[in-house]
Amino acid sequence: MQTESLFENLTTANIITSIVDLLIVWYVLYLLLTVLKGTKAIQLIKGIIFILVGRALSNFFNLTTTTEIFDTVLEWGFLAIIVIFQPEFRRALEQLGRGSLFRSNSTNGAGEHDKLREAMIKAIRYMAKRRIGALIVFEKDTGLKEYSETGIPIDANITSELLINIFIPNTPLHDGAMIISGDKIDTAASYLPLSESNKIAKSLGTRHRAAVGISEVTDAFTVVVSEETGNISVTYSGKLFKEISLDELDDLFKKHWTMLPPAKEGGGFFARK
């Protein structure tokens, strides 16, 4: 009798309402992930998932103290998230107002990687020989959106001529960092956080300190061409490696500069942003 009563209550209107309700919830989650993708906040989501799994396991095995610790972290953690990631939430509302959440860009296949590396090596060789200072950041898993937004949007294909022209002294875009996202020049003249490490030699300038700084807070790979000596340096994992040869740089590009797979037709969350 209870089963029959249940089916009687499942009217067409109720079914449609439930489906719409689920679709709205999933769509809101989709928009949230779309906004956070390309920022450091996406790493935070992985941490939250870890805490939720840990809380469930500790509760399952009756680990009282551990469960209380997880509950405390969850209770106060969300308040801390709102404070720490206030810029991301503000940007989300701005993008929603502009309708920019639905935009996506295409990317070339991985077969172009060799040509792009050759163009990059050619430009860096030219700048190093003539002591043209340059700071180039390559985005990896941790998004650099909050830093690219401080610069001038370029969104251009990578060519050696364009790379050189951007860093020519006394031009509007030469000062600051160029950010490479996938196979595109994302922005130029972007501001990066400066490292406060005492291990950086006093003889090195702002470019090197900014390169180390971005490698301390993200997993980005950065190339620096010294304006004083023409030497090539790279940073990753919070470490600075000086006087890199072009052959060594090419090997590092193969390791750290990976082209993303082609965007799916129609874009979406898993399309290249």
Side-chain angles (χ1 to χ4, degrees):
M1 295 297 294
Q2 293 180 350
T3 304
E4 294 178 358
S5 176
L6 176 62
F7 281 104
E8 288 177 359
N9 293 329
L10 288 177
T11 62
T12 303
N14 289 337
I15 294 175
I16 294 176
T17 301
S18 299
I19 293 175
V20 171
D21 189 22
L22 289 174
L23 289 176
I24 291 174
V25 172
W26 280 109
Y27 184 66
V28 170
L29 291 176
Y30 165 80
L31 291 180
L32 179 62
L33 290 174
T34 302
V35 171
L36 294 181
K37 188 174 186 291
T39 69
K40 291 186 294 184
I42 198 66
Q43 305 299 324
L44 179 67
I45 293 179
K46 298 178 182 179
I48 293 175
I49 294 174
F50 174 80
I51 292 175
L52 292 175
V53 172
R55 201 278 182 197
L57 291 176
S58 63
N59 185 58
F60 178 79
F61 290 106
N62 294 322
L63 304 177
T64 306
T65 304
T66 306
T67 301
E68 290 180 356
I69 293 174
F70 278 122
D71 287 339
T72 302
V73 172
L74 291 172
E75 181 179 355
W76 294 101
F78 286 106
L79 179 60
I81 289 171
I82 294 175
V83 175
I84 296 173
F85 291 95
Q86 182 267 341
E88 278 76 12
F89 289 117
R90 185 182 66 249
R91 180 167 55 244
L93 295 176
E94 292 174 351
Q95 291 180 351
L96 185 61
R98 294 193 303 263
S100 58
L101 290 174
F102 309 99
R103 300 173 186 171
S104 61
N105 298 321
S106 60
T107 185
N108 295 326
E112 297 293 319
H113 198 191
D114 291 340
K115 294 181 180 179
L116 296 178
R117 288 202 329 273
E118 290 176 5
M120 189 65 67
I121 292 294
K122 180 180 178 181
I124 292 174
R125 180 190 295 113
Y126 182 96
M127 292 186 288
K129 184 177 181 180
R130 291 161 179 79
R131 298 186 180 182
I132 298 174
L135 176 58
I136 307 174
V137 183
F138 296 83
E139 183 182 51
K140 296 174 70 174
D141 293 331
T142 302
L144 302 176
K145 183 184 293 185
E146 62 182 284
Y147 305 109
S148 63
E149 288 183 345
T150 65
I152 306 299
I154 303 296
D155 191 24
N157 294 327
I158 296 173
T159 64
S160 58
E161 293 78 10
L162 179 57
L163 291 168
I164 294 169
N165 283 335
I166 287 177
F167 287 110
I168 290 295
N170 302 321
T171 56
L173 300 179
H174 88 283
D175 195 17
M178 173 189 291
I179 295 180
I180 304 293
S181 182
D183 59 356
K184 296 280 188 179
I185 301 176
D186 188 10
T187 62
S190 294
Y191 294 99
L192 303 180
L194 299 181
S195 173
E196 298 181 358
S197 174
N198 295 325
K199 297 180 180 179
I200 302 177
K202 300 296 183 181
S203 59
L204 299 179
T206 304
R207 285 192 182 92
H208 292 83
R209 192 167 290 276
V212 176
I214 193 66
S215 72
E216 290 173 341
V217 297
T218 72
D219 62 351
F221 174 74
T222 305
V223 178
V224 183
V225 178
S226 173
E227 190 174 4
E228 288 75 21
T229 64
N231 290 334
I232 302 169
S233 303
V234 300
T235 65
Y236 56 89
S237 301
K239 298 178 180 178
L240 172 66
F241 302 89
K242 298 184 293 183
E243 299 184 11
I244 301 296
S245 69
L246 290 174
D247 290 335
E248 291 173 329
L249 182 60
D250 191 38
D251 290 337
L252 289 170
F253 278 148
K254 294 176 183 178
K255 179 179 179 181
H256 293 280
W257 184 17
T258 305
M259 297 295 99
L260 296 179
K264 296 182 179 180
E265 186 176 355
F269 174 66
F270 295 100
R272 179 71 185 137
K273 296 292 179 184

